[in-house]
Amino acid sequence: MNINRILMATAVAMTTFVAGCATQPDGGGNAAPAALAIQAQGSFAVGGTVLQMPGRYDNNNPTSAGQSFHGDHLYAFYQVPLNPRPLPIVMLHGAFQSARSWESTSDGREGFQTLFLRRGFPVYLVDQPRRGRAGSSTVAASVVPAPNDQLFFDQFRIGKWPKYFDNVQFDRKPETLDQFFRSVTPNTGPYDAGVISDAIVALMKQTGPAILFTHSQGGGPGWLTAIKSPNVRAVVAFEPGSGFIFPPGELPPAMPSAAGPLAPEAVSAEDFDKLTRIPIVIYYGDNFPTTPTAERGQDNWRVRLAMARIWVDTINRHGGDARLVHLPEAGIHGNTHFIMSDLNNVQIAGLVSAFLNQKKLD
Amino acid sequence: MNINRILMATAVAMTTFVAGCATQPDGGGNAAPAALAIQAQGSFAVGGTVLQMPGRYDNNNPTSAGQSFHGDHLYAFYQVPLNPRPLPIVMLHGAFQSARSWESTSDGREGFQTLFLRRGFPVYLVDQPRRGRAGSSTVAASVVPAPNDQLFFDQFRIGKWPKYFDNVQFDRKPETLDQFFRSVTPNTGPYDAGVISDAIVALMKQTGPAILFTHSQGGGPGWLTAIKSPNVRAVVAFEPGSGFIFPPGELPPAMPSAAGPLAPEAVSAEDFDKLTRIPIVIYYGDNFPTTPTAERGQDNWRVRLAMARIWVDTINRHGGDARLVHLPEAGIHGNTHFIMSDLNNVQIAGLVSAFLNQKKLD
């Protein structure tokens, strides 16, 4: 019996377990991915508030009198890989979505949750207050089935319904589109960027220093969180869609578009300056023009990209470190609004990894 | 250099990775738990329906006309450990809850999701249709903040508000109770046991033969799933609270209680007989009497235990294999309604493991 061969075989076997450090076949390979080695996983609520009803609670004839209600917290599911990197990543979804956005892609491949675990980061997935598993809202809402599938297909740039964009990085099997439509989940209370960012600040008190990933509508609460919490060490924003904030006197004019106007929002100079202390990168995908178009689903993103460019310039003029990557200009084509789930999401994860490495955040 | 010592050390290091097969310190130990080796994880939607609005969709002036809506599916998050046992476990939560019920306990320990992964089972956690991340309901609902904390404390048998039961298997730190209250998430559409069981049937078409764990209100849809799907190979029901179904002519009288009457429900003899083909075990916890009491939170469970006993007897009289375990009678004391998350949940997992082993389901 050859001891060296046993050792070698053992080492190979072990490698398949050390997910935190394993280099992954880059999506195209046929090799089964290595197993993930998870040191700890679980979930909890954080942030939020408590409503207290007046009166006295009667255990055997309960009414609302004297009872309390816990709401407006976020829900987080976390996983810590073996041999974790120092900074965890907190991932915040956008409108109509939940933490589901970061899990499996609609065509069933690994999303950013698992891809960044494989890259050694502890990952915290958030359902924001009043959404998903954090559904207990202190403010009432009605939930009405809203037929929006075709609008989503257009607005999230899979194509122009019912036609897919020629180069789109979205699998065309009908069941993939079905999964995409079913990833939607409604608000159970009014959207409130203040409530959401307060909850993420509370989460980051628990995690300590962390990297914040945001998607779409999550962009707005993301900037607010970075203002309020010294624990945000970087923001990676995928197609931020709302909450472009500027200091007094520097707000650009609102931008009209076929999808309605996009207006900047004001914050104090002091708050704005807090965003200049951390590295920020913003990604936008493909299939919208940079000049006005009557196509609503595309024009929506034309103004957001334009506003984000001004925003990045403003941050940097104030001494900050922000960068905007319009993927087609970087030679990466076909990305939808859900960049992190597109067919090339391993390549996108690579871009993000390179950014984190360059900023010494890994 | 001693090759044997290297091999030994390597073997020890590997053992910490083989979570699927690792024997765990039984909760009481101080040793950090071994890392989980996860072969695959992800999420998807399954089941549900599609609403189609009449009319023609206009991409650049979208209204509901011509649009569709995907709803009433369930959401599932799955993890497959390395070297998995043949049958996965599907876990269905109860009222006011989501898959969160099976994740971390309110005091931050591992819940049944991770405990059964450690025991080598693939685990599928469900958010039922119209709840949590499966919030898209085809039927409208209003979500109103309902102050129920004190009622939950009583009804889920943590104690009689504000006093904890002396022997309760629930950690008394205020932050534990806060987590418990924040595990609640509302319905986003009417509760419908048919819709829920249809979705789980669809899930089990995908998983193949599986073991179904249900909690509380999930009990009812659980029995319906077992009737509709040949893939349900066993049901483990924790404190089923609704949907006690009997064949024609064998319905016991409704049982009055301080929490309102509990009425049995009728199914066909043919459907009932389907439940006699699989092993079933039902667990109830502690701190409610078996004779009537004016204490609402406790009397609710007195009638459910009594109804479940008659149900089990009826199943067995029809040739079935059902068993009811009233934990205090088995010498296990202090369990709340959330048996799977109580301080002794590793012991409870052990009972369930023994049952699965006895029935050759592991």
Side-chain angles (χ1 to χ4, degrees):
Chain A
M1 200 156 196
N2 183 325
I3 285 292
N4 277 332
R5 281 183 62 184
I6 295 172
L7 269 178
M8 192 83 95
T10 314
V12 168
M14 280 197 69
T15 304
T16 67
F17 291 97
V18 187
C21 309
T23 48
Q24 269 297 105
D26 255 12
N30 289 320
L36 281 163
I38 302 292
Q39 192 184 100
Q41 67 175 21
S43 64
F44 56 89
V46 65
T49 187
V50 182
L51 301 181
Q52 178 63 53
M53 298 297 118
R56 193 160 166 274
Y57 173 65
D58 178 349
N59 305 71
N60 294 328
N61 184 26
T63 64
S64 64
Q67 292 210 65
S68 58
F69 173 84
H70 285 63
D72 291 355
H73 47 266
L74 65 73
Y75 158 95
F77 180 74
Y78 68 93
Q79 292 181 294
V80 181
L82 215 61
N83 309 316
R85 296 180 192 271
L87 294 181
I89 301 174
V90 173
M91 301 186 184
L92 174 63
H93 58 79
F96 306 105
Q97 291 280 315
S98 67
R100 170 82 187 82
S101 288
W102 309 99
E103 295 173 350
S104 298
T105 64
S106 290
D107 55 300
R109 291 169 301 108
E110 291 182 349
F112 270 21
Q113 174 188 40
T114 301
L115 290 179
F116 279 89
L117 278 167
R118 290 198 181 285
R119 289 162 194 254
F121 294 92
V123 172
Y124 289 72
L125 294 193
V126 166
D127 282 2
Q128 74 187 22
R130 308 178 180 174
R131 191 81 59 79
R133 294 176 181 169
S136 287
S137 165
T138 60
V139 183
S142 15
V143 180
V144 179
N148 276 326
D149 289 346
Q150 285 66 25
L151 183 150
F152 290 155
F153 187 91
D154 288 349
Q155 182 136 335
F156 299 150
R157 302 196 321 279
I158 297 170
K160 182 178 174 181
W161 181 266
K163 203 181 161 305
Y164 289 80
F165 289 129
D166 284 341
N167 67 357
V168 73
Q169 297 275 2
F170 191 90
D171 173 79
R172 296 182 191 211
K173 288 192 292 293
E175 54 269 35
T176 299
L177 194 57
D178 183 87
Q179 285 295 316
F180 180 72
F181 289 148
R182 294 188 188 282
S183 70
V184 168
T185 202
N187 277 330
T188 54
Y191 171 81
D192 187 321
V195 166
I196 296 167
S197 52
D198 282 350
I200 304 178
V201 168
L203 170 61
M204 289 206 170
K205 242 181 218 155
Q206 226 161 291
T207 61
I211 300 157
L212 179 60
F213 285 15
T214 66
H215 180 230
S216 193
Q217 191 187 57
W223 311 132
L224 299 182
T225 305
I227 288 171
K228 294 189 224 178
S229 173
N231 281 335
V232 179
R233 291 301 159 88
V235 177
V236 179
F238 300 94
E239 299 219 344
S242 73
F244 294 96
I245 48 181
F246 290 86
E250 299 185 49
L251 279 74
M255 299 179 174
S257 87
L262 175 64
E265 296 171 27
V267 289
S268 71
E270 191 192 345
D271 279 351
F272 187 81
D273 276 345
K274 288 179 185 157
L275 296 174
T276 66
R277 297 178 200 160
I278 53 168
I280 291 171
V281 63
I282 299 176
Y283 298 94
Y284 282 94
D286 199 358
N287 285 314
F288 58 94
T290 52
T291 52
T293 166
E295 299 296 343
R296 187 191 174 284
Q298 297 175 283
D299 214 40
N300 182 70
W301 300 106
R302 174 187 61 83
V303 291
R304 280 163 175 77
L305 173 65
M307 186 68 82
R309 280 199 201 281
I310 299 174
W311 189 83
V312 161
D313 290 345
T314 310
I315 289 281
N316 291 338
R317 204 168 54 239
H318 283 256
D321 176 14
R323 194 180 153 211
L324 189 148
V325 181
H326 187 203
L327 291 170
E329 293 171 41
I332 299 173
H333 297 282
N335 280 101
T336 74
H337 180 53
F338 284 70
I339 299 179
M340 66 283 194
S341 301
D342 282 338
L343 289 172
N344 61 346
N345 70 338
V346 173
Q347 182 184 16
I348 303 296
L351 292 189
V352 176
S353 286
F355 165 79
L356 297 176
N357 180 261
Q358 192 198 333
K359 301 301 176 186
K360 303 195 189 334
L361 295 163
D362 58 355
Chain B
M1 202 156 193
N2 183 325
I3 286 292
N4 278 332
R5 281 183 62 185
I6 295 173
L7 269 178
M8 192 84 95
T10 312
V12 168
M14 280 199 68
T15 304
T16 67
F17 292 96
V18 188
C21 309
T23 47
Q24 268 298 107
D26 257 13
N30 290 320
L36 282 162
I38 302 293
Q39 192 184 103
Q41 65 175 21
S43 64
F44 56 88
V46 65
T49 186
V50 182
L51 302 181
Q52 178 63 52
M53 298 299 118
R56 191 160 167 274
Y57 173 65
D58 178 349
N59 304 71
N60 294 327
N61 184 25
T63 64
S64 65
Q67 292 209 66
S68 59
F69 173 84
H70 285 63
D72 291 355
H73 47 267
L74 65 73
Y75 158 95
F77 181 75
Y78 68 93
Q79 292 181 293
V80 181
L82 215 62
N83 308 315
R85 297 179 191 271
L87 294 181
I89 302 174
V90 173
M91 301 187 184
L92 173 64
H93 58 80
F96 306 105
Q97 291 279 314
S98 68
R100 171 81 186 83
S101 288
W102 308 98
E103 295 174 349
S104 297
T105 64
S106 292
D107 56 299
R109 292 169 300 107
E110 292 181 347
F112 270 21
Q113 173 187 41
T114 302
L115 290 178
F116 279 89
L117 277 167
R118 291 198 182 284
R119 289 162 194 254
F121 293 92
V123 173
Y124 288 72
L125 294 194
V126 166
D127 283 1
Q128 75 188 20
R130 308 178 182 175
R131 190 82 57 80
R133 294 176 182 171
S136 286
S137 164
T138 60
V139 184
S142 17
V143 180
V144 178
N148 275 328
D149 289 345
Q150 286 65 27
L151 183 150
F152 289 155
F153 187 93
D154 287 350
Q155 182 135 334
F156 299 149
R157 302 198 320 280
I158 297 170
K160 182 177 173 181
W161 180 266
K163 205 181 159 306
Y164 289 79
F165 288 130
D166 284 341
N167 67 356
V168 72
Q169 297 275 3
F170 192 90
D171 173 78
R172 296 183 190 208
K173 287 191 293 294
E175 53 268 35
T176 298
L177 194 58
D178 182 87
Q179 286 293 318
F180 181 73
F181 289 148
R182 294 187 188 282
S183 70
V184 168
T185 202
N187 278 328
T188 55
Y191 172 83
D192 187 321
V195 167
I196 295 167
S197 52
D198 281 348
I200 305 179
V201 168
L203 170 62
M204 287 202 170
K205 242 179 219 155
Q206 225 161 292
T207 62
I211 300 156
L212 179 60
F213 285 15
T214 66
H215 180 229
S216 193
Q217 190 187 56
W223 311 132
L224 297 182
T225 304
I227 287 170
K228 294 188 226 180
S229 174
N231 281 335
V232 179
R233 291 301 158 86
V235 178
V236 179
F238 300 95
E239 300 218 344
S242 72
F244 294 95
I245 48 181
F246 290 86
E250 299 186 49
L251 278 73
M255 299 180 174
S257 86
L262 175 65
E265 296 170 27
V267 288
S268 72
E270 190 193 346
D271 279 350
F272 187 81
D273 276 345
K274 290 180 183 155
L275 296 174
T276 65
R277 297 177 199 160
I278 54 168
I280 290 171
V281 64
I282 299 176
Y283 298 95
Y284 283 94
D286 198 0
N287 285 314
F288 59 93
T290 51
T291 52
T293 164
E295 300 296 343
R296 186 191 174 284
Q298 297 175 284
D299 214 39
N300 182 70
W301 301 107
R302 174 187 62 81
V303 291
R304 280 163 175 79
L305 173 65
M307 186 68 81
R309 282 199 200 281
I310 298 173
W311 189 83
V312 161
D313 289 346
T314 310
I315 289 281
N316 291 338
R317 202 167 57 239
H318 282 256
D321 175 14
R323 193 180 153 211
L324 189 148
V325 181
H326 187 202
L327 291 169
E329 294 171 39
I332 299 174
H333 298 283
N335 280 102
T336 73
H337 180 53
F338 283 72
I339 298 179
M340 66 284 196
S341 301
D342 282 338
L343 289 172
N344 61 347
N345 70 338
V346 173
Q347 182 184 16
I348 303 296
L351 292 188
V352 175
S353 285
F355 165 78
L356 297 176
N357 179 262
Q358 190 199 333
K359 301 301 177 186
K360 302 194 189 336
L361 295 163
D362 58 355

